[in-house]
Amino acid sequence: MLDAVPPATSASRPGATPRARRRSFVRALAVPALLGVVAATAACAPRIGVPVADDAQNPLCADVVLALPESLGEGLDAVGTTSQATAAWGEPGAAVTLRCGVEVPGPTTTACQSVQSEGGTVDWLVVEDQGTWTFTTYGRDPAVQLVVPPAVTEDRSTAFVADLGRAVMEVPQTRACVGAGDLG
């Protein structure tokens, strides 16, 4: 840690008044005190507990997380998480969470939706269970999963999934959704 050294002012000159010396001393202490308050406040910032995925250490997950937006839609700002290769937006108890490195889904009859976003299209398997929406990328390894709780969908749509397109496209697509019209 750096030692606090008072700035060279008229207060540090010989013959300076006691009041000038005291003011100089207070200024010299103000910066380290302010830094301590900032550090303490950052430590108290809310963090969302998100379970780590089995393949979270995959280097492509780091690329995904680094490319994620600071907010989703309106009013869902990024907040810290407690696990590697995860992200969250919103508030504790009502946060949208993302995990990279979840199990890669194989062929399925689960509803698959192609979502157009800036830079391309991402295929998502979409499941709704008791008001919680789960989106899992299809045709990308590692897979990315987004969970949207009922507290979020009560007053907004899940159209913000498109905001994740650029980040998710850091993982190359190897397969695509197949619709009923694609079957022979």
Side-chain angles (χ1 to χ4, degrees), residues 13 23 46 49 58 94 110 130 147 152 174:
R13 291 186 194 145
R23 227 183 345 225
N58 188 310
T110 300
Q130 298 181 355
V147 177
V152 172
T174 58

Side-chain angles (χ1 to χ4, degrees), residues 2 5 11 23 25 30 36-38 62 65 79 97-99 115 118 133 136 138 141 149 151 159 161 180:
L2 297 175
V5 177
R23 227 183 345 225
F25 180 73
V37 168
V38 169
V65 171
V79 294
T97 59
L98 178 140
R99 300 184 313 146
V115 177
E118 187 179 316
W133 289 86
T136 306
Y138 181 77
D141 187 359
V161 169

Side-chain angles (χ1 to χ4, degrees), residues 157-184:
S157 79
T158 57
F160 55 74
V161 169
D163 297 347
L164 301 171
R166 184 163 39 215
V168 170
M169 284 186 267
E170 293 291 328
V171 178
Q173 184 173 7
T174 58
R175 289 179 295 170
C177 288
V178 177
D182 297 326
L183 301 175

Side-chain angles (χ1 to χ4, degrees), residues 82-178:
T82 58
S83 302
Q84 175 182 345
T86 63
W89 297 266
E91 304 171 4
V96 174
T97 59
L98 178 140
R99 300 184 313 146
C100 183
V102 298
E103 184 177 343
V104 175
T108 181
T109 57
T110 300
C112 190
Q113 294 183 8
S114 297
V115 177
Q116 183 68 36
S117 59
E118 187 179 316
T121 301
V122 175
D123 291 339
W124 296 92
L125 298 179
V126 183
V127 176
E128 186 272 335
D129 183 28
Q130 298 181 355
T132 297
W133 289 86
T134 303
F135 298 81
T136 306
T137 55
Y138 181 77
R140 297 177 191 269
D141 187 359
V144 175
Q145 184 178 73
L146 185 75
V147 177
V148 184
V152 172
T153 58
E154 285 174 357
D155 59 355
R156 64 175 53 92
S157 79
T158 57
F160 55 74
V161 169
D163 297 347
L164 301 171
R166 184 163 39 215
V168 170
M169 284 186 267
E170 293 291 328
V171 178
Q173 184 173 7
T174 58
R175 289 179 295 170
C177 288
V178 177

